[in-house]
Short mmCIF file of all heavy atoms in Angstrom, two decimals:
data_model
loop_
_atom_site.label_atom_id
_atom_site.label_comp_id
_atom_site.label_asym_id
_atom_site.label_seq_id
_atom_site.Cartn_x
_atom_site.Cartn_y
_atom_site.Cartn_z
N TYR M 59 97.61 90.07 107.47
CA TYR M 59 97.33 89.77 106.07
C TYR M 59 98.62 89.91 105.27
O TYR M 59 99.43 90.80 105.54
CB TYR M 59 96.29 90.76 105.51
CG TYR M 59 95.08 90.94 106.40
CD1 TYR M 59 95.07 91.91 107.40
CD2 TYR M 59 93.95 90.15 106.24
CE1 TYR M 59 93.97 92.08 108.22
CE2 TYR M 59 92.85 90.31 107.06
CZ TYR M 59 92.87 91.28 108.05
OH TYR M 59 91.78 91.44 108.86
N TYR M 60 98.78 89.03 104.26
CA TYR M 60 100.01 89.03 103.48
C TYR M 60 99.73 88.86 102.00
O TYR M 60 98.81 88.13 101.60
CB TYR M 60 100.93 87.88 103.92
CG TYR M 60 101.39 87.97 105.35
CD1 TYR M 60 100.70 87.33 106.37
CD2 TYR M 60 102.50 88.74 105.69
CE1 TYR M 60 101.10 87.43 107.69
CE2 TYR M 60 102.92 88.84 107.01
CZ TYR M 60 102.22 88.18 108.01
OH TYR M 60 102.63 88.29 109.31
N ALA M 61 100.55 89.51 101.19
CA ALA M 61 100.52 89.25 99.76
C ALA M 61 101.10 87.86 99.50
O ALA M 61 101.96 87.39 100.26
CB ALA M 61 101.34 90.31 99.01
N ASP M 62 100.63 87.22 98.44
CA ASP M 62 101.13 85.88 98.12
C ASP M 62 102.64 85.86 97.94
O ASP M 62 103.31 84.88 98.27
CB ASP M 62 100.47 85.37 96.83
CG ASP M 62 98.99 85.06 97.02
OD1 ASP M 62 98.54 84.92 98.18
OD2 ASP M 62 98.28 84.95 96.00
N SER M 63 103.19 86.95 97.44
CA SER M 63 104.62 87.02 97.12
C SER M 63 105.51 86.97 98.36
O SER M 63 106.71 86.71 98.25
CB SER M 63 104.92 88.27 96.31
OG SER M 63 104.51 89.43 97.02
N VAL M 64 104.94 87.25 99.54
CA VAL M 64 105.76 87.29 100.76
C VAL M 64 105.26 86.34 101.85
O VAL M 64 105.95 86.16 102.87
CB VAL M 64 105.86 88.71 101.34
CG1 VAL M 64 106.34 89.69 100.27
CG2 VAL M 64 104.51 89.16 101.92
N ARG M 65 104.08 85.76 101.64
CA ARG M 65 103.52 84.89 102.68
C ARG M 65 104.46 83.73 102.97
O ARG M 65 104.98 83.09 102.07
CB ARG M 65 102.15 84.36 102.23
CG ARG M 65 101.43 83.56 103.33
CD ARG M 65 100.04 83.15 102.90
NE ARG M 65 99.14 84.31 102.82
CZ ARG M 65 98.62 84.76 101.68
NH1 ARG M 65 98.88 84.15 100.54
NH2 ARG M 65 97.81 85.81 101.69
N GLY M 66 104.69 83.50 104.25
CA GLY M 66 105.61 82.45 104.68
C GLY M 66 107.04 82.91 104.87
O GLY M 66 107.85 82.21 105.47
N ARG M 67 107.36 84.09 104.33
CA ARG M 67 108.72 84.63 104.47
C ARG M 67 108.75 85.90 105.33
O ARG M 67 109.73 86.16 106.02
CB ARG M 67 109.31 84.94 103.10
CG ARG M 67 109.41 83.76 102.16
CD ARG M 67 110.18 84.12 100.89
NE ARG M 67 109.53 85.18 100.12
CZ ARG M 67 110.11 86.34 99.79
NH1 ARG M 67 111.35 86.59 100.17
NH2 ARG M 67 109.45 87.23 99.08
N PHE M 68 107.70 86.70 105.23
CA PHE M 68 107.63 87.96 105.98
C PHE M 68 106.63 87.83 107.12
O PHE M 68 105.63 87.11 107.01
CB PHE M 68 107.18 89.10 105.07
CG PHE M 68 108.18 89.53 104.02
CD1 PHE M 68 109.32 88.79 103.74
CD2 PHE M 68 107.98 90.71 103.32
CE1 PHE M 68 110.23 89.20 102.78
CE2 PHE M 68 108.88 91.14 102.36
CZ PHE M 68 110.00 90.38 102.08
N THR M 69 106.90 88.55 108.22
CA THR M 69 105.99 88.57 109.36
C THR M 69 105.79 90.01 109.81
O THR M 69 106.75 90.72 110.08
CB THR M 69 106.55 87.75 110.53
OG1 THR M 69 106.77 86.40 110.11
CG2 THR M 69 105.56 87.76 111.70
N ILE M 70 104.53 90.42 109.87
CA ILE M 70 104.20 91.75 110.36
C ILE M 70 103.80 91.64 111.83
O ILE M 70 103.16 90.66 112.24
CB ILE M 70 103.07 92.39 109.52
CG1 ILE M 70 102.93 93.88 109.83
CG2 ILE M 70 101.75 91.64 109.70
CD1 ILE M 70 101.97 94.62 108.89
N SER M 71 104.17 92.62 112.61
CA SER M 71 103.78 92.66 114.02
C SER M 71 103.73 94.10 114.47
O SER M 71 104.15 95.01 113.75
CB SER M 71 104.79 91.87 114.89
OG SER M 71 106.08 92.44 114.79
N ARG M 72 103.20 94.33 115.65
CA ARG M 72 103.13 95.69 116.18
C ARG M 72 103.26 95.66 117.69
O ARG M 72 102.95 94.67 118.34
CB ARG M 72 101.84 96.38 115.76
CG ARG M 72 100.57 95.78 116.31
CD ARG M 72 99.33 96.38 115.62
NE ARG M 72 99.17 97.80 115.91
CZ ARG M 72 98.46 98.65 115.14
NH1 ARG M 72 97.87 98.21 114.05
NH2 ARG M 72 98.35 99.91 115.49
N ASP M 73 103.73 96.77 118.25
CA ASP M 73 103.81 96.96 119.69
C ASP M 73 103.06 98.24 120.01
O ASP M 73 103.60 99.34 119.80
CB ASP M 73 105.27 97.04 120.12
CG ASP M 73 105.43 97.09 121.64
OD1 ASP M 73 104.47 97.47 122.34
OD2 ASP M 73 106.53 96.77 122.13
N ASN M 74 101.84 98.10 120.47
CA ASN M 74 101.01 99.28 120.71
C ASN M 74 101.50 100.10 121.89
O ASN M 74 101.14 101.27 122.03
CB ASN M 74 99.55 98.88 120.90
CG ASN M 74 98.90 98.46 119.58
OD1 ASN M 74 99.42 98.74 118.50
ND2 ASN M 74 97.76 97.80 119.67
N SER M 75 102.33 99.52 122.76
CA SER M 75 102.90 100.28 123.87
C SER M 75 104.02 101.20 123.39
O SER M 75 104.39 102.16 124.09
CB SER M 75 103.43 99.33 124.94
OG SER M 75 104.58 98.64 124.50
N LYS M 76 104.56 100.89 122.21
CA LYS M 76 105.64 101.70 121.65
C LYS M 76 105.22 102.45 120.39
O LYS M 76 106.04 103.14 119.77
CB LYS M 76 106.85 100.82 121.33
CG LYS M 76 107.48 100.16 122.54
CD LYS M 76 108.71 99.35 122.16
CE LYS M 76 109.35 98.74 123.40
NZ LYS M 76 110.54 97.91 123.06
N ASP M 77 103.95 102.31 119.99
CA ASP M 77 103.46 102.96 118.77
C ASP M 77 104.35 102.61 117.58
O ASP M 77 104.82 103.49 116.84
CB ASP M 77 103.37 104.48 118.93
CG ASP M 77 102.24 104.91 119.86
OD1 ASP M 77 101.51 104.04 120.35
OD2 ASP M 77 102.11 106.13 120.12
N ALA M 78 104.59 101.32 117.41
CA ALA M 78 105.48 100.89 116.35
C ALA M 78 104.95 99.65 115.65
O ALA M 78 104.31 98.79 116.27
CB ALA M 78 106.88 100.62 116.89
N VAL M 79 105.24 99.56 114.37
CA VAL M 79 104.91 98.38 113.58
C VAL M 79 106.20 97.86 112.96
O VAL M 79 107.12 98.65 112.67
CB VAL M 79 103.84 98.70 112.51
CG1 VAL M 79 104.33 99.74 111.52
CG2 VAL M 79 103.38 97.44 111.80
N TYR M 80 106.26 96.55 112.78
CA TYR M 80 107.49 95.93 112.32
C TYR M 80 107.21 95.03 111.11
O TYR M 80 106.09 94.54 110.92
CB TYR M 80 108.11 95.09 113.43
CG TYR M 80 108.29 95.84 114.72
CD1 TYR M 80 107.35 95.74 115.75
CD2 TYR M 80 109.38 96.67 114.91
CE1 TYR M 80 107.50 96.44 116.93
CE2 TYR M 80 109.55 97.38 116.10
CZ TYR M 80 108.60 97.26 117.11
OH TYR M 80 108.76 97.96 118.27
N LEU M 81 108.25 94.79 110.32
CA LEU M 81 108.18 93.82 109.23
C LEU M 81 109.46 93.00 109.29
O LEU M 81 110.54 93.51 109.00
CB LEU M 81 108.03 94.51 107.87
CG LEU M 81 107.80 93.55 106.70
CD1 LEU M 81 106.42 92.88 106.82
CD2 LEU M 81 107.92 94.28 105.36
N ARG M 82 109.31 91.74 109.69
CA ARG M 82 110.44 90.83 109.70
C ARG M 82 110.48 90.14 108.34
O ARG M 82 109.52 89.49 107.93
CB ARG M 82 110.28 89.80 110.80
CG ARG M 82 111.37 88.72 110.82
CD ARG M 82 112.71 89.27 111.23
NE ARG M 82 113.77 88.25 111.29
CZ ARG M 82 115.01 88.49 111.68
NH1 ARG M 82 115.36 89.72 112.07
NH2 ARG M 82 115.89 87.51 111.69
N MET M 83 111.61 90.25 107.65
CA MET M 83 111.76 89.70 106.32
C MET M 83 112.84 88.62 106.32
O MET M 83 114.00 88.92 106.63
CB MET M 83 112.12 90.82 105.32
CG MET M 83 111.10 91.96 105.32
SD MET M 83 111.48 93.23 104.10
CE MET M 83 112.95 93.93 104.80
N ASN M 84 112.44 87.40 106.04
CA ASN M 84 113.37 86.26 105.98
C ASN M 84 113.48 85.75 104.55
O ASN M 84 112.65 86.07 103.68
CB ASN M 84 112.88 85.13 106.88
CG ASN M 84 112.89 85.50 108.35
OD1 ASN M 84 113.69 86.32 108.80
ND2 ASN M 84 111.99 84.88 109.12
N SER M 85 114.49 84.94 104.31
CA SER M 85 114.69 84.31 103.00
C SER M 85 114.58 85.33 101.87
O SER M 85 113.87 85.12 100.88
CB SER M 85 113.66 83.18 102.80
OG SER M 85 113.74 82.23 103.83
N LEU M 86 115.27 86.42 102.04
CA LEU M 86 115.15 87.52 101.08
C LEU M 86 115.69 87.13 99.71
O LEU M 86 116.67 86.38 99.58
CB LEU M 86 115.86 88.76 101.61
CG LEU M 86 115.05 89.52 102.68
CD1 LEU M 86 115.94 90.45 103.47
CD2 LEU M 86 113.90 90.27 102.04
N ARG M 87 115.02 87.66 98.70
CA ARG M 87 115.36 87.39 97.30
C ARG M 87 115.67 88.69 96.59
O ARG M 87 115.29 89.78 97.05
CB ARG M 87 114.18 86.71 96.61
CG ARG M 87 113.64 85.48 97.31
CD ARG M 87 112.28 85.10 96.74
NE ARG M 87 111.72 83.89 97.37
CZ ARG M 87 110.46 83.52 97.25
NH1 ARG M 87 109.60 84.24 96.51
NH2 ARG M 87 110.04 82.41 97.84
N ALA M 88 116.33 88.59 95.44
CA ALA M 88 116.64 89.79 94.67
C ALA M 88 115.38 90.57 94.34
O ALA M 88 115.38 91.81 94.34
CB ALA M 88 117.37 89.40 93.38
N GLU M 89 114.28 89.88 94.10
CA GLU M 89 113.04 90.56 93.73
C GLU M 89 112.37 91.26 94.91
O GLU M 89 111.36 91.94 94.72
CB GLU M 89 112.05 89.58 93.08
CG GLU M 89 111.77 88.33 93.88
CD GLU M 89 112.63 87.15 93.45
OE1 GLU M 89 113.83 87.36 93.14
OE2 GLU M 89 112.11 86.01 93.47
N ASP M 90 112.92 91.13 96.11
CA ASP M 90 112.41 91.88 97.26
C ASP M 90 113.06 93.27 97.35
O ASP M 90 112.70 94.07 98.21
CB ASP M 90 112.67 91.13 98.57
CG ASP M 90 111.90 89.82 98.65
OD1 ASP M 90 110.72 89.79 98.24
OD2 ASP M 90 112.49 88.82 99.11
N THR M 91 114.03 93.53 96.48
CA THR M 91 114.67 94.85 96.45
C THR M 91 113.64 95.91 96.13
O THR M 91 112.97 95.85 95.09
CB THR M 91 115.80 94.87 95.40
OG1 THR M 91 116.84 93.98 95.82
CG2 THR M 91 116.36 96.28 95.23
N ALA M 92 113.51 96.89 97.02
CA ALA M 92 112.48 97.91 96.86
C ALA M 92 112.60 98.95 97.95
O ALA M 92 113.31 98.76 98.94
CB ALA M 92 111.08 97.28 96.94
N VAL M 93 111.91 100.05 97.76
CA VAL M 93 111.67 100.99 98.85
C VAL M 93 110.43 100.50 99.58
O VAL M 93 109.40 100.22 98.95
CB VAL M 93 111.45 102.42 98.33
CG1 VAL M 93 111.05 103.35 99.47
CG2 VAL M 93 112.71 102.93 97.64
N TYR M 94 110.54 100.38 100.90
CA TYR M 94 109.44 99.90 101.72
C TYR M 94 108.84 101.09 102.48
O TYR M 94 109.56 101.83 103.16
CB TYR M 94 109.92 98.83 102.69
CG TYR M 94 110.16 97.49 102.01
CD1 TYR M 94 111.28 97.31 101.19
CD2 TYR M 94 109.27 96.44 102.15
CE1 TYR M 94 111.49 96.11 100.53
CE2 TYR M 94 109.47 95.23 101.50
CZ TYR M 94 110.58 95.07 100.70
OH TYR M 94 110.79 93.87 100.04
N PHE M 95 107.53 101.25 102.34
CA PHE M 95 106.80 102.32 103.01
C PHE M 95 105.88 101.71 104.06
O PHE M 95 105.25 100.68 103.82
CB PHE M 95 105.91 103.08 102.03
CG PHE M 95 106.61 103.78 100.91
CD1 PHE M 95 106.72 103.19 99.65
CD2 PHE M 95 107.13 105.07 101.08
CE1 PHE M 95 107.35 103.84 98.60
CE2 PHE M 95 107.75 105.73 100.04
CZ PHE M 95 107.87 105.11 98.80
N CYS M 96 105.75 102.36 105.21
CA CYS M 96 104.67 102.01 106.12
C CYS M 96 103.59 103.07 105.98
O CYS M 96 103.86 104.22 105.61
CB CYS M 96 105.13 101.87 107.56
SG CYS M 96 105.54 103.39 108.41
N ALA M 97 102.37 102.67 106.25
CA ALA M 97 101.23 103.57 106.11
C ALA M 97 100.19 103.23 107.17
O ALA M 97 100.06 102.07 107.57
CB ALA M 97 100.62 103.45 104.72
N ASN M 98 99.44 104.24 107.60
CA ASN M 98 98.33 103.95 108.49
C ASN M 98 97.04 103.88 107.68
O ASN M 98 97.04 104.04 106.46
CB ASN M 98 98.26 104.96 109.64
CG ASN M 98 97.77 106.35 109.22
OD1 ASN M 98 97.60 106.64 108.04
ND2 ASN M 98 97.55 107.20 110.20
N SER M 99 95.97 103.61 108.35
CA SER M 99 94.70 103.40 107.66
C SER M 99 93.70 104.47 108.05
O SER M 99 93.90 105.24 109.00
CB SER M 99 94.13 102.02 108.03
OG SER M 99 93.89 101.98 109.43
N ARG M 100 92.61 104.51 107.29
CA ARG M 100 91.47 105.34 107.66
C ARG M 100 90.25 104.57 107.18
O ARG M 100 90.01 104.48 105.97
CB ARG M 100 91.54 106.72 107.01
CG ARG M 100 90.33 107.61 107.31
CD ARG M 100 90.51 108.97 106.67
NE ARG M 100 89.34 109.83 106.80
CZ ARG M 100 88.31 109.84 105.95
NH1 ARG M 100 88.30 109.04 104.92
NH2 ARG M 100 87.30 110.66 106.15
N GLY M 101 89.55 103.98 108.11
CA GLY M 101 88.43 103.13 107.73
C GLY M 101 88.93 101.95 106.92
O GLY M 101 89.86 101.25 107.32
N TYR M 102 88.36 101.74 105.75
CA TYR M 102 88.77 100.66 104.87
C TYR M 102 89.79 101.11 103.83
O TYR M 102 90.07 100.39 102.87
CB TYR M 102 87.55 100.05 104.18
CG TYR M 102 86.75 99.15 105.10
CD1 TYR M 102 85.76 99.67 105.92
CD2 TYR M 102 87.00 97.79 105.14
CE1 TYR M 102 85.03 98.85 106.76
CE2 TYR M 102 86.27 96.96 105.98
CZ TYR M 102 85.30 97.50 106.79
OH TYR M 102 84.58 96.69 107.62
N SER M 103 90.34 102.29 104.03
CA SER M 103 91.47 102.73 103.21
C SER M 103 92.73 102.34 103.95
O SER M 103 93.11 102.99 104.93
CB SER M 103 91.41 104.24 102.99
OG SER M 103 90.27 104.61 102.29
#
Side-chain angles (χ1 to χ4, degrees):
Chain M
Y59 312 89
Y60 297 94
D62 290 343
S63 58
V64 306
R65 186 175 290 113
R67 301 188 299 123
F68 290 12
T69 301
I70 192 171
S71 61
R72 65 190 295 158
D73 186 339
N74 287 344
S75 70
K76 296 182 178 179
D77 289 358
V79 62
Y80 308 97
L81 186 68
R82 176 69 179 183
M83 304 183 291
N84 294 332
S85 303
L86 282 163
R87 307 166 179 166
E89 53 264 38
D90 295 319
T91 294
V93 174
Y94 285 74
F95 298 97
C96 72
N98 73 353
S99 62
R100 178 178 174 273
Y102 284 87
S103 297

